[in-house]
Amino acid sequence: MPLSAADIIAQLTALLGANGVIGEAGQMAGYLTEPRKRFHQPASAVTLPASVEQVQAIVRWASENRVGIIPQGGNTGLVGAQVPLRGDEVIVSLARLDRIRSIDVAAGTMTAEAGVILENAHKAAEAEDTIFPLWLGSQGSARVGGLLSSNAGGVNVLAYGNARELTMGVEAVMADGRLYRGLNSLKKDNTGYDLKDLLVGAEGTLGIITAATLKIFPKPEDHETALVSIAGPEAALTLFQLLRERIGSRLNAFEIVPRIGLDMQLRQGMLDRDPSAGTSPWYALIEVSRMRGGTPGALMAAIEAAFTDSLIDNAVFAESLADRTRMWAFREQMSEVQSKEGASIKHDVSVPIAAVPQLIAEGIAAAERLAPGIRPVPFGHMGDGNIHFNFSQPVGAEPKAFMAEFDEKLHEAIYEIVLRLGGSVSAEHGIGQLKIDLLEQVKDPVALDMMRAIKSALDPNGILNPGKMLPR
Ligand SMILES: Cc1cc2nc3c(=O)[nH]c(=O)nc-3n(C[C@H](O)[C@H](O)[C@H](O)COP(=O)(O)OP(=O)(O)OC[C@H]3O[C@@H](n4cnc5c(N)ncnc54)[C@H](O)[C@@H]3O)c2cc1C
């Protein structure tokens, strides 16, 4: 017989002590409300283990009692993977496991517990004159375990890779409560399946990560940051190629944003002033790092060449930290400003980089055919082929009616283009509960079978984040 909520709370309290369990609905609210406010299920309890042993105790208890458990980090995930689906699960927050266990500058590694907030990992690395280069808008809240489990991307993937590429090893509690001690920092280790790569990006469905060995890098001497006025995605692609040829791996970021995004932010009072060189249909935000002893001015020289080739219209270079911060704020506030402009329909998709202009052109045309007056706001990581293909409702439309009529139709239209161009329906945010039906439709059936076989081998009782990521 399933345990009652009261039994669950009493048994978990006996395991963890009173300050390790939250059972009162009001106090649980912060763990249940996710950023997009799309999922609204309760939980039986929230647990706050203070040690790896306590995580093991929770998992053993859940396995014995067949209770679904959901690992949670900063609760910033955008696909509902970290919040309940059924309403009877127990959330396991890793927030109290927040120690940096060690930093080894010579080896280029930092071992951090799952609950370390990304910004704190940045600070710990910088204190040793190094960087941990995973950078994203949620870095003040997102935690190491969640970042790895969602294989987060962000704005520096171009130079340093995504969370998977930044992880050397993980320690994780498996579904039977045993501890997988995989915190190695070996560059070469061909002794079988790469279990670290299986746990990274698994969205908490295969184990609970308790710590990870992460790659850190020498801190650049400084950055050159420019906001470039550009005619459109075609020109942006050519500019990107020119920069790759001239600057190589020091090109850290290449993001694109349409003018409408800047107008929205100025209108909503989210920027103190226009950071651009003037009105242009599109902007590219570009950042290049310079290592100690490197020659300054690499980006300036490349931009001058692009200007001579009539590839770009204008450019502004950040001359101070305030300028750089404003340019990045403009990019990072893109999602937020859309919620101030009424309802929006969003897609986190990727295609081969050369196909980005076609994706944007066809996607905009399809949306405008479907919903005249709709406001396309595609932006994001052009250098990774990853576009946040978002649309804001027409001005004056009724938000609920707009969503009811166009949400599904627009998804269908955009995903059809993405798949035809050889792309992915989830570039960096994952599957969670939001895209589980979609995954079943688009993923190679052999891949789905392999994923199911792995899941049932590693979690035979289905207690780890049940119902998420993997279609039945
Ligand atoms: C403003 C904003 C900007 C964002 N920008 C980006 C971006 O640029 N790029 C990007 O990739 N994402 C971005 N995101 C999405 C989100 O921040 C990332 O997915 C992040 O990696 C989630 O980390 P978290 O600690 O909040 O994890 P949660 O949201 O708590 O969890 C995410 C997933 O990881 C699992 N999980 C959490 N901890 C563990 C653990 N210890 N062991 C096993 N599984 C675990 C959860 O069960 C869930 O499946 C953004 C989100 C916001 C709100």
Side-chain angles (χ1 to χ4, degrees), residues 35 70-78 80-83 92 94 114-115 135-139 141-155 199 202-205 207-210 331-332 335 381 386 388 428-429 432 465 468:
I70 305 174
Q72 192 180 91
N75 190 13
T76 68
L78 298 174
Q82 73 281 14
V83 292
V92 182
L94 278 295
W135 267 26
L136 28 86
S138 55
Q139 60 199 30
S141 311
R143 296 175 187 266
V144 164
L147 291 154
L148 266 52
S149 299
S150 54
N151 187 23
V155 296
L199 287 157
E203 298 187 10
T205 61
I208 301 188
I209 294 173
T210 47
R331 160 62 187 86
E332 294 293 3
S335 250
H381 319 294
N386 174 195
H388 298 305
E428 59 176 10
H429 295 160
N465 215 355
K468 307 288 176 49

Side-chain angles (χ1 to χ4, degrees), residues 268-286:
Q268 297 293 346
M270 292 171 76
L271 288 169
D272 55 356
R273 64 176 170 79
D274 185 340
S276 77
T279 305
S280 164
W282 288 82
Y283 300 97
L285 176 57
I286 303 166

Side-chain angles (χ1 to χ4, degrees), residues 108-415:
T109 60
M110 165 165 64
T111 300
E113 290 185 341
V116 170
I117 291 176
L118 180 53
E119 235 166 46
N120 293 339
H122 289 163
K123 285 181 194 151
E126 278 181 29
E128 301 291 334
D129 216 17
T130 64
I131 55 163
F132 176 55
L134 189 61
W135 267 26
L136 28 86
S138 55
Q139 60 199 30
S141 311
R143 296 175 187 266
V144 164
L147 291 154
L148 266 52
S149 299
S150 54
N151 187 23
V155 296
N156 272 343
V157 172
L158 208 49
Y160 296 101
N162 53 19
R164 179 171 279 126
E165 287 161 280
L166 291 170
T167 304
M168 300 193 84
V170 297
E171 173 190 274
V173 176
M174 305 311 289
D176 58 4
R178 286 188 302 164
L179 191 63
Y180 164 59
R181 297 173 201 276
L183 284 181
N184 78 54
S185 54
L186 300 172
K187 281 210 161 168
K188 292 188 163 184
D189 175 22
N190 284 350
T191 55
Y193 302 134
D194 194 329
L195 302 173
K196 172 265 291 182
D197 270 357
L198 208 51
L199 287 157
V200 173
E203 298 187 10
T205 61
L206 299 180
I208 301 188
I209 294 173
T210 47
T213 307
L214 307 168
K215 291 183 196 170
I216 54 174
F217 296 82
K219 191 175 167 193
E221 182 82 1
D222 59 24
H223 293 94
E224 280 182 88
T225 310
L227 191 60
V228 176
S229 305
I230 197 151
E234 282 286 357
L237 181 63
T238 314
L239 176 63
F240 173 67
Q241 280 154 352
L242 180 147
L243 293 173
R244 288 286 270 189
E245 277 164 27
R246 286 180 156 250
I247 297 172
S249 61
R250 283 180 302 139
L251 178 61
N252 284 8
F254 190 103
E255 305 280 310
I256 55 166
V257 186
R259 175 74 203 187
I260 186 176
L262 188 46
D263 288 337
M264 283 178 171
Q265 292 189 40
L266 292 169
R267 183 164 56 239
Q268 297 293 346
M270 292 171 76
L271 288 169
D272 55 356
R273 64 176 170 79
D274 185 340
S276 77
T279 305
S280 164
W282 288 82
Y283 300 97
L285 176 57
I286 303 166
E287 191 156 283
V288 168
S289 59
R290 181 171 67 86
M291 303 311 291
R292 225 154 285 163
T295 321
L299 181 58
M300 179 76 82
I303 293 291
E304 274 169 12
F307 203 65
T308 309
D309 292 352
S310 306
L311 197 56
I312 62 172
D313 300 327
N314 221 330
V316 176
F317 282 77
E319 286 177 359
S320 62
L321 184 60
D323 285 350
R324 184 183 177 214
T325 306
R326 186 180 297 106
M327 287 180 187
W328 275 109
F330 160 48
R331 160 62 187 86
E332 294 293 3
Q333 290 169 177
M334 281 302 300
S335 250
E336 193 188 337
V337 77
Q338 280 197 272
S339 55
K340 295 179 191 281
E341 290 272 328
S344 53
I345 301 177
K346 301 185 173 181
H347 310 86
D348 163 43
V349 296
S350 66
V351 293
I353 295 173
V356 169
Q358 192 181 347
L359 166 72
I360 292 177
E362 287 193 24
I364 290 176
E368 286 173 345
R369 268 195 310 274
L370 206 59
I374 197 167
R375 292 174 292 165
V377 196
F379 69 93
H381 319 294
M382 167 107 194
D384 307 326
N386 174 195
I387 298 297
H388 298 305
F389 211 149
N390 296 356
F391 296 88
S392 282
Q393 65 168 71
V395 176
E398 204 286 305
K400 276 195 178 140
F402 167 74
M403 292 304 281
E405 186 166 0
F406 297 114
D407 193 29
E408 212 165 296
K409 287 182 195 156
L410 197 49
H411 287 328
E412 260 176 43
I414 297 300
Y415 293 139

Side-chain angles (χ1 to χ4, degrees), residues 64-110:
E64 277 159 22
N65 293 289
R66 304 286 193 268
V67 174
I69 49 178
I70 305 174
Q72 192 180 91
N75 190 13
T76 68
L78 298 174
V79 290
Q82 73 281 14
V83 292
L85 172 73
R86 304 185 312 219
D88 61 354
E89 299 95 323
V90 168
I91 289 179
V92 182
S93 166
L94 278 295
R96 288 167 80 191
L97 265 68
D98 64 350
R99 251 178 354 112
I100 303 284
R101 290 193 190 161
S102 62
I103 295 193
D104 183 339
V105 175
T109 60
M110 165 165 64

